[in-house]
Amino acid sequence: MAKKSSTPTFVLELPLVVTKGNERIILARLEAGRRLYNATLHEALKRLSIMRSSVEWQSARDLPKGKDRNEAFKAVNEHFGFSEYALHDFVKPVRINAGWKDRLSAQEAQKIASRVFKAVSEYAFGARGKPRFKGINRPLHSLEGKQ
Protein backbone atom coordinates (compact mmCIF):
# COMPACT_ATOMS: atom_id res chain seq x y z
CA MET A 1 0.00 0.00 0.00
CA ALA A 2 1.38 3.37 -1.01
CA LYS A 3 2.07 5.94 1.67
CA LYS A 4 -0.19 8.98 1.66
CA SER A 5 1.29 12.18 0.38
CA SER A 6 2.32 14.61 3.07
CA THR A 7 1.56 17.61 0.86
CA PRO A 8 -0.65 20.06 2.74
CA THR A 9 -4.17 20.24 1.35
CA PHE A 10 -7.26 22.25 2.11
CA VAL A 11 -10.90 22.46 1.10
CA LEU A 12 -12.61 25.68 0.16
CA GLU A 13 -16.39 25.79 0.09
CA LEU A 14 -18.09 28.61 -1.77
CA PRO A 15 -21.81 29.24 -1.97
CA LEU A 16 -23.28 28.41 -5.36
CA VAL A 17 -25.37 31.15 -6.92
CA VAL A 18 -27.84 29.75 -9.45
CA THR A 19 -30.94 30.88 -11.24
CA LYS A 20 -34.35 29.45 -10.36
CA GLY A 21 -34.30 27.31 -13.50
CA ASN A 22 -30.89 25.85 -12.70
CA GLU A 23 -31.93 25.23 -9.08
CA ARG A 24 -34.96 23.29 -10.31
CA ILE A 25 -32.74 21.15 -12.55
CA ILE A 26 -30.25 20.43 -9.74
CA LEU A 27 -33.02 19.52 -7.28
CA ALA A 28 -34.65 17.22 -9.86
CA ARG A 29 -31.33 15.43 -10.43
CA LEU A 30 -30.75 15.00 -6.70
CA GLU A 31 -34.28 13.67 -6.25
CA ALA A 32 -33.79 11.18 -9.08
CA GLY A 33 -30.53 10.09 -7.44
CA ARG A 34 -32.28 9.65 -4.09
CA ARG A 35 -35.00 7.51 -5.61
CA LEU A 36 -32.50 5.40 -7.54
CA TYR A 37 -30.44 4.95 -4.35
CA ASN A 38 -33.52 3.74 -2.46
CA ALA A 39 -34.57 1.35 -5.24
CA THR A 40 -31.05 -0.07 -5.46
CA LEU A 41 -30.76 -0.39 -1.68
CA HIS A 42 -34.07 -2.27 -1.56
CA GLU A 43 -32.88 -4.66 -4.27
CA ALA A 44 -29.49 -5.24 -2.62
CA LEU A 45 -31.04 -5.95 0.80
CA LYS A 46 -33.56 -8.28 -0.83
CA ARG A 47 -30.80 -10.21 -2.61
CA LEU A 48 -28.79 -10.42 0.62
CA SER A 49 -31.78 -11.75 2.53
CA ILE A 50 -32.62 -14.37 -0.09
CA MET A 51 -28.97 -15.38 -0.29
CA ARG A 52 -28.61 -15.74 3.49
CA SER A 53 -31.71 -17.92 3.72
CA SER A 54 -30.47 -20.31 1.03
CA VAL A 55 -29.11 -23.75 1.80
CA GLU A 56 -25.98 -23.02 -0.23
CA TRP A 57 -25.06 -20.00 1.91
CA GLN A 58 -25.70 -21.83 5.15
CA SER A 59 -23.55 -24.77 4.08
CA ALA A 60 -20.78 -22.36 3.01
CA ARG A 61 -21.01 -20.66 6.40
CA ASP A 62 -20.45 -24.00 8.17
CA LEU A 63 -17.21 -24.72 6.27
CA PRO A 64 -13.93 -24.08 8.11
CA LYS A 65 -12.26 -20.78 7.27
CA GLY A 66 -9.99 -21.00 4.28
CA LYS A 67 -9.87 -21.11 0.52
CA ASP A 68 -12.75 -23.60 0.11
CA ARG A 69 -15.06 -21.44 2.22
CA ASN A 70 -14.13 -18.29 0.28
CA GLU A 71 -14.78 -20.06 -3.02
CA ALA A 72 -18.15 -21.32 -1.75
CA PHE A 73 -19.21 -17.82 -0.70
CA LYS A 74 -18.02 -16.43 -4.03
CA ALA A 75 -20.15 -18.99 -5.91
CA VAL A 76 -23.20 -18.20 -3.75
CA ASN A 77 -22.76 -14.45 -4.30
CA GLU A 78 -22.55 -15.00 -8.06
CA HIS A 79 -25.56 -17.33 -8.08
CA PHE A 80 -27.78 -14.78 -6.30
CA GLY A 81 -26.44 -11.73 -8.13
CA PHE A 82 -24.97 -10.13 -5.02
CA SER A 83 -22.11 -8.18 -6.57
CA GLU A 84 -21.32 -4.61 -7.47
CA TYR A 85 -21.60 -5.28 -11.20
CA ALA A 86 -24.91 -7.10 -10.79
CA LEU A 87 -26.25 -3.91 -9.19
CA HIS A 88 -24.79 -1.92 -12.10
CA ASP A 89 -26.92 -4.10 -14.37
CA PHE A 90 -29.93 -3.50 -12.10
CA VAL A 91 -29.74 0.31 -12.24
CA LYS A 92 -29.47 0.46 -16.02
CA PRO A 93 -33.14 -0.39 -16.84
CA VAL A 94 -34.44 1.35 -13.71
CA ARG A 95 -32.86 4.65 -14.78
CA ILE A 96 -34.25 4.34 -18.30
CA ASN A 97 -37.74 3.06 -17.42
CA ALA A 98 -38.22 5.71 -14.73
CA GLY A 99 -37.52 8.43 -17.29
CA TRP A 100 -34.35 9.66 -15.60
CA LYS A 101 -32.10 9.41 -18.67
CA ASP A 102 -31.99 13.20 -18.87
CA ARG A 103 -31.42 13.62 -15.10
CA LEU A 104 -28.84 10.92 -14.29
CA SER A 105 -26.01 9.76 -16.49
CA ALA A 106 -25.08 6.08 -16.68
CA GLN A 107 -21.86 6.77 -14.74
CA GLU A 108 -23.77 8.51 -11.93
CA ALA A 109 -26.20 5.60 -11.72
CA GLN A 110 -23.31 3.13 -11.55
CA LYS A 111 -21.66 5.12 -8.76
CA ILE A 112 -24.93 5.06 -6.82
CA ALA A 113 -25.00 1.28 -7.26
CA SER A 114 -21.37 1.05 -6.10
CA ARG A 115 -22.13 3.16 -3.03
CA VAL A 116 -25.11 0.94 -2.18
CA PHE A 117 -23.13 -2.27 -2.66
CA LYS A 118 -20.33 -1.00 -0.41
CA ALA A 119 -22.82 -0.13 2.34
CA VAL A 120 -24.70 -3.43 2.10
CA SER A 121 -21.53 -5.55 1.94
CA GLU A 122 -20.16 -3.80 5.05
CA TYR A 123 -23.49 -4.61 6.73
CA ALA A 124 -23.26 -8.23 5.52
CA PHE A 125 -19.77 -8.62 7.01
CA GLY A 126 -20.82 -7.01 10.30
CA ALA A 127 -18.58 -3.98 9.92
CA ARG A 128 -21.48 -1.49 10.00
CA GLY A 129 -25.15 -1.33 10.78
CA LYS A 130 -27.99 -1.78 8.34
CA PRO A 131 -27.96 0.94 5.67
CA ARG A 132 -30.90 3.34 5.78
CA PHE A 133 -33.10 4.56 3.00
CA LYS A 134 -32.83 8.22 2.07
CA GLY A 135 -35.98 10.05 3.09
CA ILE A 136 -37.42 13.20 1.59
CA ASN A 137 -36.14 15.13 4.62
CA ARG A 138 -32.64 13.57 4.39
CA PRO A 139 -31.90 13.67 0.66
CA LEU A 140 -28.67 13.19 -1.22
CA HIS A 141 -26.50 16.28 -1.06
CA SER A 142 -24.26 15.37 -3.96
CA LEU A 143 -23.92 13.07 -6.94
CA GLU A 144 -20.70 11.46 -8.04
CA GLY A 145 -19.67 10.28 -11.48
CA LYS A 146 -16.92 7.95 -12.66
CA GLN A 147 -15.07 10.53 -14.74
Side-chain angles (χ1 to χ4, degrees), residues 40-55:
T40 310
L41 180 59
H42 178 267
E43 180 67 20
L45 290 173
K46 183 175 80 171
R47 290 180 187 192
L48 178 64
S49 175
I50 291 169
M51 182 179 69
R52 281 184 169 172
S53 64
S54 72
V55 174

Side-chain angles (χ1 to χ4, degrees), residues 24-124:
R24 187 178 60 80
I25 291 169
I26 292 170
L27 291 176
R29 293 184 64 169
L30 290 173
E31 177 62 14
R34 181 187 74 85
R35 289 182 178 192
L36 183 63
Y37 178 91
N38 286 342
T40 310
L41 180 59
H42 178 267
E43 180 67 20
L45 290 173
K46 183 175 80 171
R47 290 180 187 192
L48 178 64
S49 175
I50 291 169
M51 182 179 69
R52 281 184 169 172
S53 64
S54 72
V55 174
E56 297 94 347
W57 189 84
Q58 292 173 10
S59 64
R61 185 186 59 188
D62 294 337
L63 291 172
K65 289 187 178 183
K67 189 173 183 177
D68 293 338
R69 184 179 192 210
N70 293 345
E71 292 297 324
F73 276 127
K74 186 177 178 182
V76 171
N77 286 347
E78 187 177 314
H79 179 277
F80 287 96
F82 186 69
S83 71
E84 183 176 352
Y85 296 111
L87 289 180
H88 284 191
D89 291 338
F90 170 78
V91 296
K92 195 181 308 180
V94 171
R95 180 181 73 92
I96 293 168
N97 294 336
W100 296 330
K101 272 180 79 172
D102 59 336
R103 295 183 189 153
L104 290 174
S105 71
Q107 289 84 9
E108 290 167 334
Q110 288 177 356
K111 276 306 250 188
I112 289 172
S114 296
R115 182 188 291 183
V116 167
F117 180 73
K118 182 177 183 239
V120 174
S121 61
E122 286 177 354
Y123 166 64

